[in-house]
Amino acid sequence: MHFGVFDLFKIGVGPSSSHTVGPMKAARIFVERCLADGASVARLKTELYGSLALTGLGHGTDTAVLLGLEGSDPAKINPDTIPDRLARIRSEKTLKLANGQQIAFEEKADLDFRGDVRLPFHSNALKFFAYDQHGDVVREEIWYSIGGGFVIDEHEAGRNSAADVKEGEPFPFNSAAELLEIGEREGLSIHRIMLANERTFLPEDTIRAGIEGLWRAMEDCIDRGLTEDGVLPGGLGVKRRAPKMHRDILANPVSPEQDPLAPMDWINLWAMAVNEENAAGGRVVTAPTNGAAGIIPAVARYFDKYHRDPDDEEALQRFFLTAAAIGSLYKKNASISGAEAGCQGEVGVACSMAAAALAAAMGANNHQIEDAAEIGMEHNLGLTCDPVGGLVQIPCIERNAIGAIKAIDAARLALRATSADMKVSLDQVIETMRQTGEDMQEKYKETSKGGLAVNVVYC
């Protein structure tokens, strides 16, 4: 099964890829199927289970479902239009379907949060019902939002694969060991292997343009986060810190000669700017999730500002293709879902991807890239997902800043390492991460029932 760069990096809206982007996609597809079948739809009902129910209100799942039922695409929706659309749905108590039809919608009855129910396949589950004018069910489906904006329905879950599986690439790999073996056999770097596989499904010009588009979207998100003041939604009263930090740094510039750690202030700032935008429901790029969306952009900008040779036009292509190769290993062999693996599956995976990407961009060989990815995850093992108030704010925003710094440190350690220094493989740490996620108590998996979520007073 091929997971490519545009599977792991997707433009969407905050605050959560699994709780916002995924449910919006699932709701849209369900209604599209109803309309394609010619079903007479007079009412739509959605039930949310497990983590989606427990932290859904804080993660914008209610918003996502309503907009998805109306046909919105998370990659295309304008975040600025969302408040007015929600106000209209709730005041008029109607949904406008994609075919122009309007149906009655009573939110308390038609959107049911069932936090007491967890379906076996995945904690992030939804069930949609479509009724005709007589109150009879004309279609019902169970969907799972499995992390990073990926969604599958119950039939795909039964096969344990999505319907649109992509196969046929020249260098398939399901482990880091296979990836390294291909590199040695073919004389290819990791990003070249990934590019060759991507070319099976898209022209190279399209791939390169797509990566440039992702990078522009990430940079736009950073820049918005540096200027948008205010308090983040949700009731915690968390103020956006990035704009003030930005003004303070510009007003009191410090050179690396004066303070060798001064670049860390910028890295922290860029990561936090992205995740404050995410918490506000802005446009972000899953990397590989929304909750961890600030790490890879911050590390990429750090490379771009401090290390990139202006003549090296391939550097950012190497960065993102390598990140995607590493991310695909976690997607295939463990998880990128906080509801399944805790925050090690989000911030941990993003840190691992960013470390590998930075090492590659700075000229590391394949073994050093693998080592960077391994170090990035090894020191995030066991990281829990315990958002205060069910919001993607505390500890999520600062956690991205710390994750970005860890990724840079991991890359620097790997660049100075030799094969003799590498005692733990990436495959071993991915398997450890999977086992740790299975062993982790459910309350630490995006339920807000443990950790900081119960020890920080939320009024």
Side-chain angles (χ1 to χ4, degrees), residues 7-8 10 17-18 21 146-150 286 288-290 331 336-337:
D7 297 313
L8 291 153
K10 298 185 287 291
S17 48
S18 60
V21 175
I146 58 175
F150 290 90
T286 65
T289 66
N290 282 32
K331 182 65 181 167
I336 60 171
S337 167

Side-chain angles (χ1 to χ4, degrees), residues 102 190 207 309 350 367 380:
Q102 289 197 32
I190 288 174
I207 297 164
D309 182 343
H367 287 279
N380 280 293

Side-chain angles (χ1 to χ4, degrees), residues 77-154:
I77 191 170
N78 180 350
D80 294 336
T81 67
I82 291 176
D84 288 343
R85 289 185 57 189
L86 290 176
R88 189 260 308 157
I89 291 171
R90 286 166 172 157
S91 64
E92 297 179 3
K93 296 186 177 182
T94 60
L95 292 172
K96 294 181 180 179
L97 305 188
N99 65 351
Q101 178 187 358
Q102 289 197 32
I103 62 172
F105 182 78
E106 182 60 55
E107 189 165 351
K108 287 187 177 179
D110 295 336
L111 188 59
D112 191 4
F113 289 79
R114 300 288 307 278
D116 58 322
V117 178
R118 187 196 191 284
L119 300 192
F121 182 76
H122 198 284
S123 183
N124 291 336
L126 314 85
K127 189 172 185 178
F128 299 105
F129 303 85
Y131 301 87
D132 63 16
Q133 61 270 30
H134 304 295
D136 296 325
V137 175
V138 294
R139 191 181 189 97
E140 64 179 85
E141 292 178 355
I142 294 173
W143 282 79
Y144 299 95
S145 182
I146 58 175
F150 290 90
V151 293
I152 57 175
D153 65 23
E154 58 188 322

Side-chain angles (χ1 to χ4, degrees), residues 330 347-353 355-356 370-381 403 406-407 409-411 426 429:
Y330 286 97
V347 162
V349 172
C351 180
S352 181
M353 292 168 64
E370 184 223 14
D371 193 38
E374 185 278 321
I375 295 169
M377 174 53 75
E378 184 177 335
H379 304 291
N380 280 293
L381 289 172
K406 274 188 179 182
D409 198 26
L426 179 56
V429 85

